[in-house]
Amino acid sequence: MSDLHVRAKALDAEDELGGKRAEFVLDDTVYLDGNSLGALPAHVPERVADVIDRQWGKLRIRSWEESGWWTAPERIGDRIAPLVGAAPGQIVVGDSTSVNVFKALVAAVRLARGEDAGTGARDEGRDEIIVDATTFPTDGYIARSAARLTGCRLTPLTPAEVPAALSPRTAAVLLNHADYRTGRLHDLPGLTAAVHAAGALAVWDLCHTAGALPVGLDAHGVDLAVGCTYKYLNGGPGSPAYIYVRAELQDRFDSPLPGWNSHAEPFGMRPEFEAAEGALRGRVGTPDILSMLALEAALDVWDGVSMDAVRAKSLALTDFFLRCVEAYVPKGLVESLTPEAHAERGSQVALRCSPKLSTSFEQGGAPLAGDVMKRLTERGVVGDFRAPDVLRFGFTPLYVSFVDAERAARVLAEILES
């Protein structure tokens, strides 16, 4: 038994979040892909069965009122709010991340221009959208479409380049809180302040940070934010996303996708649109109840959990994993793309495979990283990869243990050495 394995067991014994692991459906697999799909909370199947058997099966249409289906988007939004540092009444759940990015970005441009819905008032000077050039591809696609719709030019930049590029022409800036490839954490407070100093609005994508570390939306004055719920929030495959609209902006939030669910009088069936009050303006159509209530049940695992404790364990886990990789993996076979500085690190570790490994693997047209990850999965260590050479390991503090981290590094070393 190695010294690092002994140390891992000792760290698990001291872990204040260690008891949370029992609340998830897990097996002997080391599951390090919660940055793509979180593990199943153990109580969710029973809760979903009740939604199907009793609420839908017996109460049927009555469940919109008697089971609270109608208010689920804002109710669940208030459950997510403390996990991202937001007061109640600013988050509504529904639609996909992509749809919410579109709503938030177009609305941000309209807000920056001082447009009043229906009046035609407009500051023509704000004609630029800046988008994170390293962002997940869909955000870039949506930003390009939003730019066409609003008549803006689109400027792709790395987050580090944004402050110097801001100008009186900038309307909105769309940024990822963490790089999905490397796990690099971007400076949300500093970048938001820089965007505001230029008179523009900041839109943040929280998909790779919500549930893994404190975000501080209210504290840092973020204007609009979106995020998914199936990663660190463990809401299930395809669970609905959410949109955050800062309270001070809600009366001017002009969604490009007004729907009957965002109407001030949804059952009035009036042809003219009148926006509802508050974050409800972020709703569009009928809520996807089955997946939404599965998410609501999944959020129970967060009861009594401190986000500061989550962040502390996340950093300790990633530090320990990197230490094990350094100890076990022969020099030169992988290099870490994940920043060493805690302030710049999310909750994943990205390792780039050395080109010298390509001669040791029968790739058959598959990317090198894909071949390595396939062998890891066969050995009971599940992460994922980004072609051609990046291995990604997500560390979900609620259920990943230090023994998991040590085993993953040890198995990786055995595969690369062989």
Side-chain angles (χ1 to χ4, degrees):
M1 184 178 296
S2 71
D3 291 342
L4 286 172
H5 183 76
V6 172
R7 179 58 180 156
K9 294 181 71 174
L11 289 169
D12 283 336
E14 300 167 359
D15 178 16
E16 68 175 283
L17 295 176
K20 283 291 174 179
R21 184 180 175 93
E23 297 182 28
F24 291 86
V25 177
L26 297 168
D27 50 25
D28 291 336
T29 299
V30 175
Y31 188 66
L32 301 181
D33 208 8
N35 54 328
S36 291
L37 176 63
L40 172 66
H43 66 282
V44 169
E46 181 179 355
R47 292 276 291 277
V48 172
D50 177 71
V51 174
I52 294 173
D53 295 339
R54 183 181 62 86
Q55 296 180 31
W56 180 15
K58 295 182 173 62
L59 295 179
R60 293 179 286 275
I61 195 71
R62 292 161 52 196
S63 277
W64 284 105
E65 291 188 6
E66 294 182 25
S67 300
W69 288 0
W70 184 257
T71 58
E74 56 266 34
R75 183 177 72 244
I76 301 171
D78 285 346
R79 294 282 303 275
I80 293 172
L83 305 180
V84 293
Q90 298 177 101
I91 293 179
V92 64
V93 174
D95 304 313
S96 68
T97 304
S98 301
V99 171
N100 284 326
V101 168
F102 181 74
K103 288 187 285 188
L105 195 53
V106 173
V109 172
R110 292 174 175 177
L111 285 163
R113 288 173 169 170
E115 294 182 11
D116 297 318
T119 68
R122 174 186 184 125
D123 176 4
E124 297 288 351
R126 300 279 178 182
D127 64 354
E128 178 188 53
I129 294 173
I130 294 177
V131 63
D132 182 348
T134 65
T135 191
F136 191 78
T138 292
D139 284 13
Y141 307 154
I142 295 293
R144 192 171 297 113
S145 178
R148 291 201 308 270
L149 178 68
T150 57
C152 287
R153 67 178 183 183
L154 186 67
T155 305
L157 298 169
T158 67
E161 294 171 328
V162 168
L166 293 164
S167 75
R169 297 186 64 177
T170 308
V173 181
L174 172 61
L175 294 162
N176 269 36
H177 196 191
D179 187 300
Y180 76 99
R181 298 179 191 85
T182 66
R184 176 178 291 277
L185 186 66
H186 298 308
D187 181 10
L188 183 147
L191 287 167
T192 299
V195 171
H196 288 170
L201 276 81
V203 181
W204 285 91
D205 183 330
L206 309 179
C207 286
H208 287 86
T209 54
L213 52 89
V215 176
L217 292 179
D218 287 354
H220 302 308
V222 169
D223 301 301
L224 299 156
V226 302
C228 67
T229 61
Y230 49 79
K231 299 182 190 293
Y232 295 110
L233 296 180
N234 312 297
S239 57
Y242 57 90
I243 182 169
Y244 163 91
V245 183
R246 184 157 58 90
E248 294 86 346
L249 300 177
Q250 290 177 2
D251 63 342
R252 294 185 292 126
F253 177 79
D254 183 13
S255 173
L257 296 174
W260 78 290
N261 263 230
S262 57
H263 198 287
E265 191 182 346
F267 292 98
M269 303 301 170
R270 292 190 278 115
E272 302 81 13
F273 182 76
E274 179 185 349
E277 295 293 327
L280 291 180
R281 293 183 177 206
R283 291 177 65 158
V284 182
T286 305
D288 42 354
I289 290 299
L290 296 183
S291 58
M292 189 168 291
L293 296 189
L295 165 64
E296 183 173 34
L299 290 171
D300 287 352
V301 300
W302 293 96
D303 291 347
V305 173
S306 159
M307 288 308 300
D308 289 336
V310 169
R311 178 58 168 164
K313 184 177 177 183
S314 166
L315 293 172
L317 277 169
T318 49
D319 276 344
F320 186 70
F321 177 70
L322 287 168
R323 177 183 168 190
C324 292
V325 169
E326 183 179 8
Y328 292 154
V329 178
K331 300 293 184 185
L333 296 188
V334 295
E335 65 169 321
S336 174
L337 302 180
T338 300
E340 292 186 13
H342 286 180
E344 299 175 3
R345 187 191 305 169
S347 198
Q348 76 175 46
V349 172
L351 302 177
R352 173 174 287 154
C353 298
S354 168
K356 71 177 67 174
L357 287 170
S358 62
T359 60
S360 302
F361 286 83
E362 295 180 4
Q363 296 185 59
L368 172 61
D371 197 10
V372 175
M373 188 54 68
K374 178 181 178 182
R375 298 189 186 197
L376 279 166
T377 301
E378 291 169 350
R379 294 281 303 275
V381 176
V382 177
D384 66 9
F385 71 98
R386 289 293 176 264
D389 56 4
V390 176
L391 303 170
R392 297 196 319 165
F393 301 94
F395 289 84
T396 304
L398 292 192
Y399 56 76
V400 173
S401 69
F402 290 91
V403 166
D404 286 339
E406 187 273 338
R407 178 181 161 193
R410 177 163 38 84
V411 172
L412 174 64
E414 292 169 359
I415 289 171
L416 297 183
E417 285 181 311
S418 67

